């Protein structure tokens, strides 16, 4: 398996623009997670899905952030409009929805908003 | 809310020596899972070791082992025979499994491990 695939690897955008991050989970996994990593706040869980259904989005910082999972093999995280403080590395991870399984992470997307 | 604390922002060890990274957590749950992840400069998150809270035996993976003290809510990682390739950020993480399925991981702030040749 190719693992969790995220695109793009790097994104530079101007403040106010819409940004869409993409994730393809490992085939067969039915839980998907979006994390944000910054120096100040570390790794924060933004939202997670079980069986394509959003379970907990309490970590989504503002209404500017939205996430979708239209099917079991694809998810997006959208920021509209983007702000410089959104600059971070965004990780997608997937796992099986059962006990004692670890989450497998993608390579992350480094987002820079200028 | 669950919290994970790593009190050592940075640790340094000589190659071939042993180092222990500390982690404490706070939870009211009785059944949960603990993990150590490694993040090298490539930024890929790599699972190092996993511990189920219901298991009394400490997990071991080759040169990596944990000291799990459930009552003290402590979960330290010991790396034996440190190698240059062990240099990375190490994150302690906690996960609870609810009836609805897997919950997300809660991470500590990380410990930067430096290996001195």
């Amino acid at each position: 398996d190719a693992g969790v695939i995220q695109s793009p690897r790097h994104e530079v955008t101007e403040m106010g623009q819409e940004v869409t991050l993409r994730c393809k989970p490992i085939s067969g996994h039915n839980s998907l997670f979006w994390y944000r990593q910054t120096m100040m706040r570390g790794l924060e869980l933004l939202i997670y899905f079980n069986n394509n259904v959003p379970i907990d989005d309490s970590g989504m910082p503002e209404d500017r952030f939205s996430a979708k999972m239209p099917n079991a093999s694809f998810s997006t995280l959208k920021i509209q409009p983007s702000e410089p403080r959104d600059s971070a590395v965004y990780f997608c991870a997937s796992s099986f929805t059962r006990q004692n399984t670890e989450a497998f992470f993608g390579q992350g997307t480094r987002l820079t908003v200028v | 809310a669950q919290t994970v604390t790593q009190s050592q922002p940075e640790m340094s060890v000589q190659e071939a020596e042993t180092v222990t990274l500390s982690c404490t957590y706070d939870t009211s749950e009785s059944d949960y899972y603990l993990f150590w992840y490694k993040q090298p400069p490539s930024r890929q998150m790599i699972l190092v070791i996993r511990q189920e809270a219901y298991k009394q035996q400490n997990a071991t993976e080759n040169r990596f082992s944990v000291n799990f003290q459930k009552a003290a809510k402590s979960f330290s990682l010991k790396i034996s025979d440190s190698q240059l390739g062990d240099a990375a950020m190490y994150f302690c993480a906690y996960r609870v499994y609810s009836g609805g399925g897997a919950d997300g991981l809660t991470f500590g702030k990380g410990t930067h491990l430096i290996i001195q040749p």
Side-chain angles (χ1 to χ4, degrees), chain A residues 58-69:
Chain A
S58 60
M60 296 285 262
E62 300 172 32
D63 290 345
R64 299 184 295 107
F65 286 69
S66 63
K68 294 182 179 180
M69 192 164 186

Side-chain angles (χ1 to χ4, degrees), chain A residues 35 48 101-103 107, chain B residues 37 43-44 50 95 103 105:
Chain A
Y35 289 89
Y48 72 94
T101 56
E102 71 267 28
Q107 293 270 46
Chain B
Y37 278 85
R43 81 172 183 239
Q44 179 69 51
R50 167 180 58 220
R95 182 181 205 183
D103 286 350
L105 292 159

Side-chain angles (χ1 to χ4, degrees), chain B residues 2-73:
Chain B
Q2 298 88 7
T3 58
V4 178
T5 302
Q6 293 179 250
S7 59
Q8 306 150 317
E10 187 173 280
M11 293 281 286
S12 182
V13 65
Q14 291 289 129
E15 193 177 4
E17 296 294 307
T18 295
V19 64
T20 298
L21 309 184
S22 302
C23 173
T24 58
Y25 57 94
D26 186 24
T27 183
S28 57
E29 303 287 340
S30 59
D31 192 14
Y32 50 87
Y33 307 88
L34 297 164
F35 306 86
W36 279 97
Y37 278 85
K38 169 185 177 181
Q39 186 179 39
S42 67
R43 81 172 183 239
Q44 179 69 51
M45 295 290 286
I46 302 165
L47 179 70
V48 175
I49 200 165
R50 167 180 58 220
Q51 174 80 43
E52 292 88 345
Y54 63 86
K55 289 187 177 179
Q56 293 187 337
Q57 186 173 6
N58 289 325
T60 300
E61 288 287 342
N62 300 314
R63 298 182 296 107
F64 299 86
S65 61
V66 299
N67 183 5
F68 173 48
Q69 301 289 328
K70 190 172 184 179
K73 296 181 182 176

Side-chain angles (χ1 to χ4, degrees), chain A residues 72-92:
Chain A
S73 59
F74 184 66
S75 177
T76 59
L77 178 67
K78 185 177 295 186
I79 308 172
Q80 165 64 21
S82 58
E83 295 182 4
R85 60 194 168 119
D86 301 331
S87 298
V89 177
Y90 291 81
F91 285 100
C92 175

Side-chain angles (χ1 to χ4, degrees), chain A residues 4-15:
Chain A
V4 176
I5 299 173
Q6 291 186 247
S7 64
R9 288 291 308 277
H10 305 274
E11 176 80 31
V12 180
T13 190
E14 291 187 347
M15 182 174 63

Side-chain angles (χ1 to χ4, degrees), chain A:
Chain A
D1 198 315
V4 176
I5 299 173
Q6 291 186 247
S7 64
R9 288 291 308 277
H10 305 274
E11 176 80 31
V12 180
T13 190
E14 291 187 347
M15 182 174 63
Q17 296 298 305
E18 177 179 297
V19 175
T20 299
L21 311 182
R22 296 172 175 80
C23 175
K24 176 179 168 55
I26 291 173
S27 178
H29 283 185
N30 52 1
S31 289
L32 183 139
F33 310 87
W34 282 101
Y35 289 89
R36 178 172 67 176
Q37 185 178 31
T38 60
M39 287 293 292
M40 291 296 294
R41 301 175 68 90
L43 278 154
E44 303 173 278
L45 176 65
L46 300 177
I47 185 171
Y48 72 94
F49 298 83
N50 284 342
N51 298 312
N52 310 339
V53 176
I55 302 300
D56 184 357
D57 65 355
S58 60
M60 296 285 262
E62 300 172 32
D63 290 345
R64 299 184 295 107
F65 286 69
S66 63
K68 294 182 179 180
M69 192 164 186
N71 56 63
S73 59
F74 184 66
S75 177
T76 59
L77 178 67
K78 185 177 295 186
I79 308 172
Q80 165 64 21
S82 58
E83 295 182 4
R85 60 194 168 119
D86 301 331
S87 298
V89 177
Y90 291 81
F91 285 100
C92 175
S94 71
S95 75
F96 290 109
T97 303
R98 66 168 188 257
Q99 294 169 307
N100 80 6
T101 56
E102 71 267 28
F104 294 82
F105 283 75
Q107 293 270 46
T109 295
R110 180 174 293 280
L111 173 65
T112 303
V113 183
V114 298

